[in-house]
Amino acid sequence: LYPNTANGRGTSNDRKDKIYDYTGVKCFRAKSVNDVVGDLASEYNMLYCDFEGNFEVKLWCNFPSICNFSHCDEVDLRQIDFADVKFLKFKEGAKVDLSFAKNLPKLLDVSYLEEICLDSCDLATVEEIKFRKGARVDLDDASNLPSDIDFTPCEYLYLRGADLANLTSICFGKDAIVKLDGALNLPKYVDVSRCKKIKLEKADVSKVDTIIFKDEEQKQKSLFNQDVFAGKIIFTDENIKKENCMEK
């Protein structure tokens, strides 16, 4: 959001000023990462990072309700409390680290990010997450994931140690590489048949009713512990063979 000028970015004098009043929006425009410090939320309702390159919080900062990092290639917001933040904007194809973050916004739209790290996040405040097709997503040790979260766009997905108690089912995209090592409370229905690589070592499958693998080889490579599993295993290759036989 810029002042109402011909070029939309203000004059050279304007650019020295970090405060803009525009249709009720009081904007703090940072010219470098070193500008983003202190209790910005008490005075502003928007942060606009008007610089390129990487962003990493250097000192404590309380962010306002709108945060725009759309010029930055990589954004590091680890351990930030987003209690006052309603909207986060990043650059198309950026890499963003939100690990250990708290009070993330209700709608976490990261469908334009190449990489997103939500390692060890409590997502209780998040109602919806959108991922980009082909994205690399890290949710290791995360908890309180939204119940209808869609992982099918993700090419690389890490859920090691994550608590999946809110999910009733889970499936993944074609040729996805997924790691569920040590994941807790896997849902009743689990479909890993389309994964290129899947790891289930020490995953909690005590509540799973049905798990679908491509074939026996995929199951063996996943390190799935069948000894502690009381549900049903389905192999998609076997069903395809049966269908082909019936057609003949």
Side-chain angles (χ1 to χ4, degrees), residues 212-228:
I212 303 176
F213 292 99
K214 179 183 178 183
D215 49 32
E216 179 67 31
E217 181 182 6
Q218 186 192 44
K219 188 191 81 171
Q220 294 296 334
K221 287 184 176 179
S222 74
L223 301 179
F224 172 70
N225 187 357
Q226 192 171 345
D227 294 337
V228 297

Side-chain angles (χ1 to χ4, degrees), residues 222-240:
S222 74
L223 301 179
F224 172 70
N225 187 357
Q226 192 171 345
D227 294 337
V228 297
F229 179 64
K232 180 181 179 181
I233 295 175
I234 297 175
F235 296 115
T236 55
D237 273 8
E238 289 183 0
N239 289 336
I240 292 170

Side-chain angles (χ1 to χ4, degrees), residues 20 26 29 32 39 44 46 58 88 136 141 166 180:
Y20 293 91
K26 198 172 185 181
R29 189 165 74 184
S32 78
D39 186 12
Y44 309 97
M46 179 177 177
K58 301 294 184 181
L88 289 167
R136 182 185 292 267
D141 297 311
N166 289 344
L180 281 159

Side-chain angles (χ1 to χ4, degrees), residues 134-148:
R136 182 185 292 267
V137 176
D138 183 349
L139 281 158
D140 286 349
D141 297 311
S143 59
N144 291 309
L145 280 67
S147 59
D148 60 349

Side-chain angles (χ1 to χ4, degrees), residues 44-114:
Y44 309 97
N45 50 21
M46 179 177 177
L47 165 66
Y48 184 84
C49 292
D50 194 10
F51 55 88
E52 297 180 352
N54 300 341
F55 178 92
E56 179 181 357
V57 178
K58 301 294 184 181
L59 296 170
W60 176 81
C61 180
N62 188 19
F63 289 102
S65 59
I66 302 171
C67 295
N68 190 329
F69 303 98
S70 57
H71 286 304
C72 304
D73 298 315
E74 296 186 19
V75 179
D76 186 341
L77 296 170
R78 286 176 290 180
Q79 303 184 51
I80 297 298
D81 188 341
F82 292 96
D84 294 313
V85 178
K86 304 299 181 186
F87 180 76
L88 289 167
K89 175 67 176 176
F90 302 104
K91 183 178 181 180
E92 177 79 29
K95 300 176 181 179
V96 176
D97 190 345
L98 295 172
S99 54
F100 294 93
K102 300 177 181 177
N103 297 306
L104 286 160
K106 287 183 179 180
L107 172 59
L108 192 58
D109 185 356
V110 292
S111 59
Y112 48 92
L113 297 184
E114 181 180 333

Side-chain angles (χ1 to χ4, degrees), residues 170-225:
I170 191 169
C171 59
F172 308 101
K174 189 176 184 299
D175 295 328
I177 294 173
V178 180
K179 296 188 177 181
L180 281 159
D181 313 53
L184 305 173
N185 297 307
L186 267 69
K188 290 185 176 182
Y189 180 89
V190 178
D191 186 350
V192 299
S193 62
R194 298 202 298 166
C195 295
K196 184 177 181 179
K197 293 182 180 178
I198 176 70
K199 284 289 182 285
L200 289 160
E201 186 176 11
K202 296 182 179 179
D204 175 13
V205 294
S206 60
K207 298 178 182 178
V208 178
D209 290 338
T210 303
I211 185 165
I212 303 176
F213 292 99
K214 179 183 178 183
D215 49 32
E216 179 67 31
E217 181 182 6
Q218 186 192 44
K219 188 191 81 171
Q220 294 296 334
K221 287 184 176 179
S222 74
L223 301 179
F224 172 70
N225 187 357

Side-chain angles (χ1 to χ4, degrees), residues 1-5 14 17-29 43-46:
L1 297 175
Y2 291 100
N4 186 19
T5 61
D14 288 331
D17 209 342
K18 292 191 177 70
I19 304 174
Y20 293 91
D21 289 307
Y22 178 28
T23 60
V25 174
K26 198 172 185 181
C27 178
F28 180 90
R29 189 165 74 184
E43 190 171 352
Y44 309 97
N45 50 21
M46 179 177 177

